[in-house]
PDB file of all heavy atoms in Angstrom:
ATOM      1  N   GLU I   1     -40.211 -37.980-117.162  1.00  0.00           N
ATOM      2  CA  GLU I   1     -39.762 -37.710-118.521  1.00  0.00           C
ATOM      3  C   GLU I   1     -38.335 -38.250-118.718  1.00  0.00           C
ATOM      4  O   GLU I   1     -38.045 -38.869-119.768  1.00  0.00           O
ATOM      5  CB  GLU I   1     -39.792 -36.198-118.781  1.00  0.00           C
ATOM      6  CG  GLU I   1     -39.664 -35.823-120.209  1.00  0.00           C
ATOM      7  CD  GLU I   1     -40.792 -36.301-121.095  1.00  0.00           C
ATOM      8  OE1 GLU I   1     -41.948 -36.393-120.579  1.00  0.00           O
ATOM      9  OE2 GLU I   1     -40.553 -36.615-122.249  1.00  0.00           O
ATOM     10  N   ILE I   2     -37.478 -38.071-117.759  1.00  0.00           N
ATOM     11  CA  ILE I   2     -36.107 -38.613-117.847  1.00  0.00           C
ATOM     12  C   ILE I   2     -36.154 -40.143-117.946  1.00  0.00           C
ATOM     13  O   ILE I   2     -35.431 -40.751-118.739  1.00  0.00           O
ATOM     14  CB  ILE I   2     -35.278 -38.156-116.641  1.00  0.00           C
ATOM     15  CG1 ILE I   2     -34.988 -36.664-116.765  1.00  0.00           C
ATOM     16  CG2 ILE I   2     -33.960 -38.927-116.539  1.00  0.00           C
ATOM     17  CD1 ILE I   2     -34.399 -36.031-115.506  1.00  0.00           C
ATOM     18  N   ARG I   3     -37.010 -40.767-117.130  1.00  0.00           N
ATOM     19  CA  ARG I   3     -37.124 -42.212-117.140  1.00  0.00           C
ATOM     20  C   ARG I   3     -37.626 -42.712-118.496  1.00  0.00           C
ATOM     21  O   ARG I   3     -37.189 -43.749-119.009  1.00  0.00           O
ATOM     22  CB  ARG I   3     -38.008 -42.709-116.001  1.00  0.00           C
ATOM     23  CG  ARG I   3     -37.387 -42.429-114.635  1.00  0.00           C
ATOM     24  CD  ARG I   3     -38.255 -42.895-113.496  1.00  0.00           C
ATOM     25  NE  ARG I   3     -38.335 -44.343-113.398  1.00  0.00           N
ATOM     26  CZ  ARG I   3     -37.383 -45.123-112.880  1.00  0.00           C
ATOM     27  NH1 ARG I   3     -36.283 -44.592-112.406  1.00  0.00           N
ATOM     28  NH2 ARG I   3     -37.552 -46.426-112.830  1.00  0.00           N
ATOM     29  N   ARG I   4     -38.570 -41.974-119.098  1.00  0.00           N
ATOM     30  CA  ARG I   4     -39.075 -42.363-120.438  1.00  0.00           C
ATOM     31  C   ARG I   4     -37.952 -42.304-121.466  1.00  0.00           C
ATOM     32  O   ARG I   4     -37.807 -43.200-122.297  1.00  0.00           O
ATOM     33  CB  ARG I   4     -40.210 -41.444-120.876  1.00  0.00           C
ATOM     34  CG  ARG I   4     -41.542 -41.797-120.308  1.00  0.00           C
ATOM     35  CD  ARG I   4     -42.685 -41.004-120.952  1.00  0.00           C
ATOM     36  NE  ARG I   4     -43.918 -41.329-120.286  1.00  0.00           N
ATOM     37  CZ  ARG I   4     -44.468 -40.622-119.296  1.00  0.00           C
ATOM     38  NH1 ARG I   4     -43.876 -39.535-118.867  1.00  0.00           N
ATOM     39  NH2 ARG I   4     -45.573 -41.000-118.726  1.00  0.00           N
ATOM     40  N   ILE I   5     -37.180 -41.226-121.409  1.00  0.00           N
ATOM     41  CA  ILE I   5     -36.058 -41.066-122.354  1.00  0.00           C
ATOM     42  C   ILE I   5     -35.043 -42.194-122.204  1.00  0.00           C
ATOM     43  O   ILE I   5     -34.519 -42.720-123.175  1.00  0.00           O
ATOM     44  CB  ILE I   5     -35.405 -39.696-122.178  1.00  0.00           C
ATOM     45  CG1 ILE I   5     -36.346 -38.584-122.615  1.00  0.00           C
ATOM     46  CG2 ILE I   5     -34.066 -39.616-122.907  1.00  0.00           C
ATOM     47  CD1 ILE I   5     -35.934 -37.195-122.228  1.00  0.00           C
ATOM     48  N   LYS I   6     -34.780 -42.592-120.964  1.00  0.00           N
ATOM     49  CA  LYS I   6     -33.802 -43.661-120.708  1.00  0.00           C
ATOM     50  C   LYS I   6     -34.401 -45.055-120.916  1.00  0.00           C
ATOM     51  O   LYS I   6     -33.677 -46.033-120.874  1.00  0.00           O
ATOM     52  CB  LYS I   6     -33.313 -43.555-119.249  1.00  0.00           C
ATOM     53  CG  LYS I   6     -32.441 -42.358-119.000  1.00  0.00           C
ATOM     54  CD  LYS I   6     -31.929 -42.383-117.584  1.00  0.00           C
ATOM     55  CE  LYS I   6     -30.979 -41.234-117.305  1.00  0.00           C
ATOM     56  NZ  LYS I   6     -30.447 -41.262-115.944  1.00  0.00           N
ATOM     57  N   GLY I   7     -35.707 -45.141-121.172  1.00  0.00           N
ATOM     58  CA  GLY I   7     -36.334 -46.440-121.392  1.00  0.00           C
ATOM     59  C   GLY I   7     -36.554 -47.237-120.110  1.00  0.00           C
ATOM     60  O   GLY I   7     -36.569 -48.458-120.124  1.00  0.00           O
ATOM     61  N   LEU I   8     -36.765 -46.539-118.994  1.00  0.00           N
ATOM     62  CA  LEU I   8     -37.005 -47.192-117.704  1.00  0.00           C
ATOM     63  C   LEU I   8     -38.473 -47.218-117.377  1.00  0.00           C
ATOM     64  O   LEU I   8     -39.242 -46.364-117.860  1.00  0.00           O
ATOM     65  CB  LEU I   8     -36.225 -46.441-116.616  1.00  0.00           C
ATOM     66  CG  LEU I   8     -34.718 -46.368-116.779  1.00  0.00           C
ATOM     67  CD1 LEU I   8     -34.111 -45.408-115.726  1.00  0.00           C
ATOM     68  CD2 LEU I   8     -34.120 -47.740-116.668  1.00  0.00           C
ATOM     69  N   PRO I   9     -38.898 -48.171-116.572  1.00  0.00           N
ATOM     70  CA  PRO I   9     -40.330 -48.187-116.156  1.00  0.00           C
ATOM     71  C   PRO I   9     -40.693 -47.007-115.259  1.00  0.00           C
ATOM     72  O   PRO I   9     -39.847 -46.447-114.584  1.00  0.00           O
ATOM     73  CB  PRO I   9     -40.478 -49.513-115.404  1.00  0.00           C
ATOM     74  CG  PRO I   9     -39.101 -49.926-115.060  1.00  0.00           C
ATOM     75  CD  PRO I   9     -38.171 -49.268-116.001  1.00  0.00           C
ATOM     76  N   ILE I  10     -41.987 -46.673-115.296  1.00  0.00           N
ATOM     77  CA  ILE I  10     -42.496 -45.517-114.529  1.00  0.00           C
ATOM     78  C   ILE I  10     -43.622 -46.008-113.649  1.00  0.00           C
ATOM     79  O   ILE I  10     -44.515 -46.715-114.105  1.00  0.00           O
ATOM     80  CB  ILE I  10     -43.017 -44.432-115.481  1.00  0.00           C
ATOM     81  CG1 ILE I  10     -41.868 -43.903-116.353  1.00  0.00           C
ATOM     82  CG2 ILE I  10     -43.693 -43.292-114.734  1.00  0.00           C
ATOM     83  CD1 ILE I  10     -42.310 -43.054-117.493  1.00  0.00           C
ATOM     84  N   ALA I  11     -43.587 -45.603-112.398  1.00  0.00           N
ATOM     85  CA  ALA I  11     -44.690 -45.929-111.475  1.00  0.00           C
ATOM     86  C   ALA I  11     -45.817 -44.947-111.655  1.00  0.00           C
ATOM     87  O   ALA I  11     -45.588 -43.757-111.926  1.00  0.00           O
ATOM     88  CB  ALA I  11     -44.175 -45.890-110.030  1.00  0.00           C
ATOM     89  N   GLY I  12     -47.042 -45.426-111.519  1.00  0.00           N
ATOM     90  CA  GLY I  12     -48.189 -44.549-111.684  1.00  0.00           C
ATOM     91  C   GLY I  12     -49.352 -45.070-110.845  1.00  0.00           C
ATOM     92  O   GLY I  12     -49.241 -46.077-110.156  1.00  0.00           O
ATOM     93  N   TYR I  13     -50.479 -44.366-110.938  1.00  0.00           N
ATOM     94  CA  TYR I  13     -51.661 -44.730-110.183  1.00  0.00           C
ATOM     95  C   TYR I  13     -52.873 -44.579-111.098  1.00  0.00           C
ATOM     96  O   TYR I  13     -53.082 -43.518-111.682  1.00  0.00           O
ATOM     97  CB  TYR I  13     -51.831 -43.853-108.958  1.00  0.00           C
ATOM     98  CG  TYR I  13     -52.923 -44.296-108.043  1.00  0.00           C
ATOM     99  CD1 TYR I  13     -52.751 -45.366-107.165  1.00  0.00           C
ATOM    100  CD2 TYR I  13     -54.146 -43.672-108.043  1.00  0.00           C
ATOM    101  CE1 TYR I  13     -53.781 -45.804-106.354  1.00  0.00           C
ATOM    102  CE2 TYR I  13     -55.195 -44.066-107.232  1.00  0.00           C
ATOM    103  CZ  TYR I  13     -54.998 -45.119-106.370  1.00  0.00           C
ATOM    104  OH  TYR I  13     -56.009 -45.540-105.563  1.00  0.00           O
ATOM    105  N   ASP I  14     -53.630 -45.653-111.260  1.00  0.00           N
ATOM    106  CA  ASP I  14     -54.819 -45.640-112.104  1.00  0.00           C
ATOM    107  C   ASP I  14     -56.005 -45.224-111.238  1.00  0.00           C
ATOM    108  O   ASP I  14     -56.418 -45.958-110.333  1.00  0.00           O
ATOM    109  CB  ASP I  14     -55.039 -47.042-112.675  1.00  0.00           C
ATOM    110  CG  ASP I  14     -56.115 -47.072-113.741  1.00  0.00           C
ATOM    111  OD1 ASP I  14     -56.973 -46.164-113.759  1.00  0.00           O
ATOM    112  OD2 ASP I  14     -56.080 -48.006-114.531  1.00  0.00           O
ATOM    113  N   LYS I  15     -56.552 -44.047-111.503  1.00  0.00           N
ATOM    114  CA  LYS I  15     -57.650 -43.527-110.714  1.00  0.00           C
ATOM    115  C   LYS I  15     -58.958 -44.302-110.955  1.00  0.00           C
ATOM    116  O   LYS I  15     -59.804 -44.341-110.079  1.00  0.00           O
ATOM    117  CB  LYS I  15     -57.852 -42.025-110.998  1.00  0.00           C
ATOM    118  CG  LYS I  15     -56.718 -41.170-110.494  1.00  0.00           C
ATOM    119  CD  LYS I  15     -56.937 -39.720-110.806  1.00  0.00           C
ATOM    120  CE  LYS I  15     -55.764 -38.888-110.363  1.00  0.00           C
ATOM    121  NZ  LYS I  15     -55.898 -37.485-110.678  1.00  0.00           N
ATOM    122  N   GLU I  16     -59.100 -44.872-112.128  1.00  0.00           N
ATOM    123  CA  GLU I  16     -60.298 -45.642-112.449  1.00  0.00           C
ATOM    124  C   GLU I  16     -60.390 -46.909-111.629  1.00  0.00           C
ATOM    125  O   GLU I  16     -61.450 -47.285-111.126  1.00  0.00           O
ATOM    126  CB  GLU I  16     -60.366 -45.966-113.938  1.00  0.00           C
ATOM    127  CG  GLU I  16     -60.598 -44.749-114.808  1.00  0.00           C
ATOM    128  CD  GLU I  16     -60.587 -45.100-116.280  1.00  0.00           C
ATOM    129  OE1 GLU I  16     -60.645 -46.291-116.616  1.00  0.00           O
ATOM    130  OE2 GLU I  16     -60.534 -44.165-117.081  1.00  0.00           O
ATOM    131  N   THR I  17     -59.274 -47.625-111.492  1.00  0.00           N
ATOM    132  CA  THR I  17     -59.277 -48.882-110.749  1.00  0.00           C
ATOM    133  C   THR I  17     -58.746 -48.705-109.333  1.00  0.00           C
ATOM    134  O   THR I  17     -58.769 -49.694-108.549  1.00  0.00           O
ATOM    135  CB  THR I  17     -58.403 -49.932-111.458  1.00  0.00           C
ATOM    136  OG1 THR I  17     -57.054 -49.477-111.510  1.00  0.00           O
ATOM    137  CG2 THR I  17     -58.909 -50.209-112.868  1.00  0.00           C
ATOM    138  N   ASN I  18     -58.243 -47.529-109.010  1.00  0.00           N
ATOM    139  CA  ASN I  18     -57.687 -47.244-107.686  1.00  0.00           C
ATOM    140  C   ASN I  18     -56.540 -48.191-107.325  1.00  0.00           C
ATOM    141  O   ASN I  18     -56.481 -48.703-106.201  1.00  0.00           O
ATOM    142  CB  ASN I  18     -58.756 -47.256-106.592  1.00  0.00           C
ATOM    143  CG  ASN I  18     -59.754 -46.138-106.751  1.00  0.00           C
ATOM    144  OD1 ASN I  18     -59.394 -45.048-107.157  1.00  0.00           O
ATOM    145  ND2 ASN I  18     -61.007 -46.427-106.479  1.00  0.00           N
ATOM    146  N   ARG I  19     -55.676 -48.433-108.306  1.00  0.00           N
ATOM    147  CA  ARG I  19     -54.545 -49.339-108.087  1.00  0.00           C
ATOM    148  C   ARG I  19     -53.267 -48.751-108.649  1.00  0.00           C
ATOM    149  O   ARG I  19     -53.274 -48.127-109.713  1.00  0.00           O
ATOM    150  CB  ARG I  19     -54.822 -50.681-108.775  1.00  0.00           C
ATOM    151  CG  ARG I  19     -55.981 -51.429-108.140  1.00  0.00           C
ATOM    152  CD  ARG I  19     -56.390 -52.635-108.932  1.00  0.00           C
ATOM    153  NE  ARG I  19     -55.298 -53.530-109.260  1.00  0.00           N
ATOM    154  CZ  ARG I  19     -55.382 -54.456-110.232  1.00  0.00           C
ATOM    155  NH1 ARG I  19     -56.482 -54.600-110.905  1.00  0.00           N
ATOM    156  NH2 ARG I  19     -54.349 -55.213-110.468  1.00  0.00           N
ATOM    157  N   PRO I  20     -52.165 -48.976-107.951  1.00  0.00           N
ATOM    158  CA  PRO I  20     -50.861 -48.531-108.487  1.00  0.00           C
ATOM    159  C   PRO I  20     -50.386 -49.497-109.588  1.00  0.00           C
ATOM    160  O   PRO I  20     -50.808 -50.644-109.620  1.00  0.00           O
ATOM    161  CB  PRO I  20     -49.930 -48.589-107.276  1.00  0.00           C
ATOM    162  CG  PRO I  20     -50.565 -49.595-106.375  1.00  0.00           C
ATOM    163  CD  PRO I  20     -52.032 -49.541-106.609  1.00  0.00           C
ATOM    164  N   TYR I  21     -49.542 -48.981-110.466  1.00  0.00           N
ATOM    165  CA  TYR I  21     -49.014 -49.822-111.552  1.00  0.00           C
ATOM    166  C   TYR I  21     -47.616 -49.367-111.910  1.00  0.00           C
ATOM    167  O   TYR I  21     -47.156 -48.294-111.520  1.00  0.00           O
ATOM    168  CB  TYR I  21     -49.904 -49.786-112.785  1.00  0.00           C
ATOM    169  CG  TYR I  21     -50.005 -48.414-113.387  1.00  0.00           C
ATOM    170  CD1 TYR I  21     -49.068 -47.930-114.309  1.00  0.00           C
ATOM    171  CD2 TYR I  21     -51.057 -47.555-113.089  1.00  0.00           C
ATOM    172  CE1 TYR I  21     -49.156 -46.689-114.874  1.00  0.00           C
ATOM    173  CE2 TYR I  21     -51.156 -46.294-113.639  1.00  0.00           C
ATOM    174  CZ  TYR I  21     -50.227 -45.863-114.556  1.00  0.00           C
ATOM    175  OH  TYR I  21     -50.295 -44.621-115.085  1.00  0.00           O
ATOM    176  N   ILE I  22     -46.955 -50.226-112.664  1.00  0.00           N
ATOM    177  CA  ILE I  22     -45.672 -49.869-113.293  1.00  0.00           C
ATOM    178  C   ILE I  22     -45.884 -49.945-114.789  1.00  0.00           C
ATOM    179  O   ILE I  22     -46.364 -50.944-115.307  1.00  0.00           O
ATOM    180  CB  ILE I  22     -44.533 -50.820-112.838  1.00  0.00           C
ATOM    181  CG1 ILE I  22     -44.304 -50.651-111.341  1.00  0.00           C
ATOM    182  CG2 ILE I  22     -43.270 -50.552-113.635  1.00  0.00           C
ATOM    183  CD1 ILE I  22     -43.194 -51.458-110.782  1.00  0.00           C
ATOM    184  N   GLU I  23     -45.545 -48.858-115.482  1.00  0.00           N
ATOM    185  CA  GLU I  23     -45.681 -48.818-116.935  1.00  0.00           C
ATOM    186  C   GLU I  23     -44.310 -48.954-117.563  1.00  0.00           C
ATOM    187  O   GLU I  23     -43.378 -48.201-117.255  1.00  0.00           O
ATOM    188  CB  GLU I  23     -46.316 -47.487-117.371  1.00  0.00           C
ATOM    189  CG  GLU I  23     -46.594 -47.449-118.856  1.00  0.00           C
ATOM    190  CD  GLU I  23     -47.348 -46.206-119.265  1.00  0.00           C
ATOM    191  OE1 GLU I  23     -47.945 -45.537-118.426  1.00  0.00           O
ATOM    192  OE2 GLU I  23     -47.336 -45.898-120.470  1.00  0.00           O
ATOM    193  N   TYR I  24     -44.194 -49.934-118.441  1.00  0.00           N
ATOM    194  CA  TYR I  24     -42.940 -50.225-119.105  1.00  0.00           C
ATOM    195  C   TYR I  24     -42.829 -49.455-120.421  1.00  0.00           C
ATOM    196  O   TYR I  24     -43.861 -48.998-120.967  1.00  0.00           O
ATOM    197  CB  TYR I  24     -42.789 -51.711-119.334  1.00  0.00           C
ATOM    198  CG  TYR I  24     -42.649 -52.455-118.020  1.00  0.00           C
ATOM    199  CD1 TYR I  24     -43.766 -52.966-117.363  1.00  0.00           C
ATOM    200  CD2 TYR I  24     -41.404 -52.606-117.431  1.00  0.00           C
ATOM    201  CE1 TYR I  24     -43.635 -53.600-116.149  1.00  0.00           C
ATOM    202  CE2 TYR I  24     -41.269 -53.269-116.215  1.00  0.00           C
ATOM    203  CZ  TYR I  24     -42.389 -53.751-115.573  1.00  0.00           C
ATOM    204  OH  TYR I  24     -42.248 -54.363-114.363  1.00  0.00           O
ATOM    205  N   PRO I  25     -41.625 -49.274-120.957  1.00  0.00           N
ATOM    206  CA  PRO I  25     -41.468 -48.489-122.199  1.00  0.00           C
ATOM    207  C   PRO I  25     -42.291 -48.964-123.377  1.00  0.00           C
ATOM    208  O   PRO I  25     -42.657 -48.192-124.229  1.00  0.00           O
ATOM    209  CB  PRO I  25     -39.960 -48.638-122.494  1.00  0.00           C
ATOM    210  CG  PRO I  25     -39.352 -48.881-121.162  1.00  0.00           C
ATOM    211  CD  PRO I  25     -40.356 -49.709-120.406  1.00  0.00           C
ATOM    212  N   ASP I  26     -42.648 -50.260-123.400  1.00  0.00           N
ATOM    213  CA  ASP I  26     -43.448 -50.794-124.501  1.00  0.00           C
ATOM    214  C   ASP I  26     -44.943 -50.510-124.323  1.00  0.00           C
ATOM    215  O   ASP I  26     -45.785 -50.904-125.119  1.00  0.00           O
ATOM    216  CB  ASP I  26     -43.231 -52.282-124.681  1.00  0.00           C
ATOM    217  CG  ASP I  26     -43.608 -53.110-123.468  1.00  0.00           C
ATOM    218  OD1 ASP I  26     -44.139 -52.543-122.479  1.00  0.00           O
ATOM    219  OD2 ASP I  26     -43.396 -54.331-123.484  1.00  0.00           O
ATOM    220  N   GLY I  27     -45.314 -49.797-123.217  1.00  0.00           N
ATOM    221  CA  GLY I  27     -46.702 -49.423-122.969  1.00  0.00           C
ATOM    222  C   GLY I  27     -47.465 -50.398-122.068  1.00  0.00           C
ATOM    223  O   GLY I  27     -48.584 -50.136-121.684  1.00  0.00           O
ATOM    224  N   ARG I  28     -46.840 -51.517-121.774  1.00  0.00           N
ATOM    225  CA  ARG I  28     -47.456 -52.537-120.928  1.00  0.00           C
ATOM    226  C   ARG I  28     -47.543 -52.039-119.487  1.00  0.00           C
ATOM    227  O   ARG I  28     -46.616 -51.434-118.986  1.00  0.00           O
ATOM    228  CB  ARG I  28     -46.635 -53.799-121.018  1.00  0.00           C
ATOM    229  CG  ARG I  28     -47.009 -54.935-120.115  1.00  0.00           C
ATOM    230  CD  ARG I  28     -46.146 -56.147-120.406  1.00  0.00           C
ATOM    231  NE  ARG I  28     -44.726 -55.851-120.416  1.00  0.00           N
ATOM    232  CZ  ARG I  28     -43.893 -55.999-119.383  1.00  0.00           C
ATOM    233  NH1 ARG I  28     -44.355 -56.460-118.253  1.00  0.00           N
ATOM    234  NH2 ARG I  28     -42.625 -55.710-119.501  1.00  0.00           N
TER     235      ARG I  28
END
């Protein structure tokens, strides 16, 4: 939540594709 407020990318994991990702503030 802090990273979203600051406009920083967030690391995540897509359970459908079983792959890690980085989500940028623009949603990419």
